[in-house]
Amino acid sequence: MFCITRYVRGEFTKFGIMLSSDATIDWTTVPIARIEDLRDAVLGAGLDATQLSRGNLSGGIAFAELDGMVFTSGYVGGPVALSGPLSGDRVTIGIGIDLPAGTRHWLSEVGTGNVGVYLPGDEHDSIYAPGSLYATVTLTADRLEAEAAQLDLALDERTLGGTGVHPRKVAPTIPTQLREQFRSVHGGHPVPGDPARAMLHAVLCHLARPPRAMNVGTRPGSHGRIVRRARAYIAEHLSEPISADALASAAGASRRTLFRAFAEILDETPRSYVRRLRLHRIRRDLADAPERVCTIALIANEWEMSDLGRMAGAYRELFGEKPSETLQAARAPGP
């Protein structure tokens, strides 16, 4: 189920910039009910989404297209992790409108007012805390330069710098104004002003600075580096037995330091993180079950969860439904 919020842009001043247009923008809003809904946390990205809390998720995704630019806003009601490129051939710029403590990009803490830059094909890696509200715009490099030029700004990929989080936050008044607009979008209420253009112009003005060799935010601290190495090892060996000693060795840390790093960065143990990822792989394979002959037990065994009863209990606790219900929904005939 989705709804469309429509409004017409008039002439108004926002962030010191005069905007004028007669265009009509339609925002399509889609509720977040299952972890799969977050694959389009940025429209069209097809992200790998991992649920970090028990039960059903909440929130919504809103998106709109304006003159070839794609705008996406997400309100995330539960803790989730997202990874993968946001676009293969376009630049994506995002702003944290409301980012509670515990929100991380590339394992480094980010907050309200942070601006992220994602160049084409570069990996996005984030953890969103409950209550996170963000907005992004995805556009070609040529369009980015043209939009900046309309504001008498110089902004291209060289000036933009690399993928990462901008070292400075925007002025506090900007998230405050955007928060009111995007909450109205997500709530299906009349939208004050033009949140799409307001967000775009705000981040363009913020980023149009002297060239930077590299954005910050992609290089985590010591515990972040340990978790990054451990996650890479886990991803490669998820369908095999993973011991704490092997994981600590791959991360270049002692077992004690490994556990401390996971507690600080991900707020869980390495073992619970591995189990969570395996449950997500089981869920993915159950959703694909109509494509092949398989059983729940066979899929669980493929992901090193041979105790079917314990797996089913953990699965229901995480996703709010039984594995058999996921399988049944996947096999149900379409409308």
Side-chain angles (χ1 to χ4, degrees), residues 75-211:
Y75 173 74
V76 184
V80 299
L82 304 173
S83 62
L86 299 185
S87 175
D89 59 357
R90 296 187 175 199
V91 176
T92 299
I93 301 172
I95 182 170
I97 299 172
D98 206 347
L99 297 184
T103 302
R104 296 177 179 272
H105 280 202
W106 299 284
L107 302 182
S108 297
E109 188 91 13
V110 293
T112 300
N114 272 131
V115 173
V117 176
Y118 314 89
L119 298 185
D122 284 356
E123 191 79 5
H124 169 78
D125 183 11
S126 64
I127 297 173
Y128 284 102
S132 292
L133 176 64
Y134 64 85
T136 68
V137 57
T138 302
L139 70 174
T140 65
D142 287 345
R143 185 55 186 270
L144 172 69
E145 191 170 355
E147 288 291 325
Q150 290 183 16
L151 303 175
D152 293 327
L153 300 172
L155 186 62
D156 53 26
E157 288 195 50
R158 182 182 66 84
T159 307
L160 200 60
T163 292
V165 178
H166 192 280
R168 294 178 297 103
K169 293 183 178 182
V170 299
T173 54
I174 293 177
T176 299
Q177 293 168 338
L178 292 177
R179 188 178 299 121
E180 177 187 3
Q181 294 177 312
F182 280 99
R183 282 180 176 174
S184 296
V185 169
H186 285 281
H189 307 306
V191 181
D194 177 357
R197 282 287 187 184
M199 184 275 289
L200 174 63
H201 290 184
V203 296
L204 289 180
C205 290
H206 187 67
L207 293 170
R209 294 289 187 264

Side-chain angles (χ1 to χ4, degrees), residues 59-74:
I61 305 294
F63 53 89
E65 185 172 359
L66 174 64
D67 301 333
M69 299 179 288
V70 177
F71 296 87
T72 308
S73 176

Side-chain angles (χ1 to χ4, degrees), residues 8-30:
V8 178
R9 287 184 285 135
E11 185 173 345
F12 64 101
T13 302
K14 183 68 70 174
F15 310 131
I17 301 166
M18 186 64 71
L19 311 176
S20 180
S21 175
D22 295 326
T24 299
I25 301 177
D26 291 337
W27 283 91
T28 301
T29 58
V30 181

